Amino acid sequence: MTHAGRQRLKLLAFFAIFALPVAVAWGMVEWRIGIPEGRTAHGELQPSLPELSQWPLTDVEKQGEGDWLLAFDCPEACGANADRWWRLHRALGREADRVSRLRIGGGGEPLPGASLAQWTGEADWRSPHRLWILDPEGRPVLGYAPNVATADVLDDLRRLLRMNPEPPSARYESPSTVVGGTGDGE
């Protein structure tokens, strides 16, 4: 092979190095090969639910302004569910301070670190023993049926926290805030 032939071969190999990944990616998209068909969230997306401030609740208190919120409906005594979500909250480890818990309804005192609110009216989307994850602005992100596996909720919550990192100024904000509500005093 002559010198010019080797140089042409090197140039073709150089082009192939850059063109081959593009061709493979195009093939994967075009023929749906190697692309997962399933969804990543275990809960149901909740874009149609109103913001937390519009829920018929007494005042809701969060631990921090930028906290995500685990809100669960307890129509009657629900010690097992409250304990389940308390353990999930502890399982978050160092990210636990970015999440607040809200028990809606039920009797007795809430577990440590949780706040308590009561329903003040009817909501057509409400169902007993349901769990919702709400973003820091109070928008419902995911909803879960009563029989959801705790590990699935933990997986979704960790993914949400990882994909939405805490802003650097969040550590300096006020420790407790009240979010909306339609209590008797309003």
Side-chain angles (χ1 to χ4, degrees):
M1 182 174 273
T2 66
H3 178 68
R6 283 195 305 263
Q7 294 302 331
R8 284 188 185 133
L9 190 58
K10 286 180 186 179
L11 184 61
L12 286 175
F14 183 73
F15 285 144
I17 288 172
F18 291 105
L20 188 60
V22 172
V24 169
W26 177 82
M28 288 175 68
V29 169
E30 188 67 29
W31 293 302
R32 308 296 296 165
I33 298 172
I35 297 175
E37 295 293 328
R39 58 193 173 115
T40 57
H42 298 96
E44 304 162 12
L45 294 175
Q46 302 286 297
S48 62
L49 291 186
E51 289 187 15
L52 182 63
S53 61
Q54 297 171 356
W55 288 19
L57 296 174
T58 57
D59 285 339
V60 175
E61 196 168 316
K62 288 171 48 176
Q63 298 295 328
E65 176 131 359
D67 280 4
W68 290 75
L69 188 65
L70 278 176
F72 56 100
D73 189 359
C74 287
E76 68 274 341
C78 61
N81 265 346
D83 183 60
R84 176 182 176 195
W85 303 131
W86 179 82
R87 291 177 188 279
L88 174 132
H89 193 200
R90 295 296 117 216
L92 288 171
R94 67 179 183 197
E95 296 288 340
D97 63 341
R98 294 184 55 204
V99 178
S100 295
R101 288 186 331 275
L102 172 66
R103 187 181 84 191
I104 306 171
E109 291 295 314
L111 290 175
S115 58
L116 179 64
Q118 298 293 333
W119 291 107
T120 59
E122 287 298 318
D124 57 347
W125 43 263
R126 177 183 167 204
S127 65
H129 301 286
R130 190 150 179 86
L131 172 76
W132 297 277
I133 296 178
L134 292 96
D135 72 4
E137 281 95 36
R139 295 179 299 232
V141 178
L142 294 171
Y144 297 92
N147 57 356
V148 67
T150 307
D152 290 344
V153 177
L154 181 62
D155 183 43
D156 288 348
L157 192 52
R158 281 185 173 153
R159 182 175 290 118
L160 284 170
L161 292 173
R162 185 178 62 243
M163 299 304 284
N164 299 283
E166 182 178 36
S169 64
R171 288 175 279 221
Y172 306 111
E173 292 177 4
S174 65
S176 179
T177 57
V178 174
V179 179
T182 56
D184 298 329
E186 294 182 22

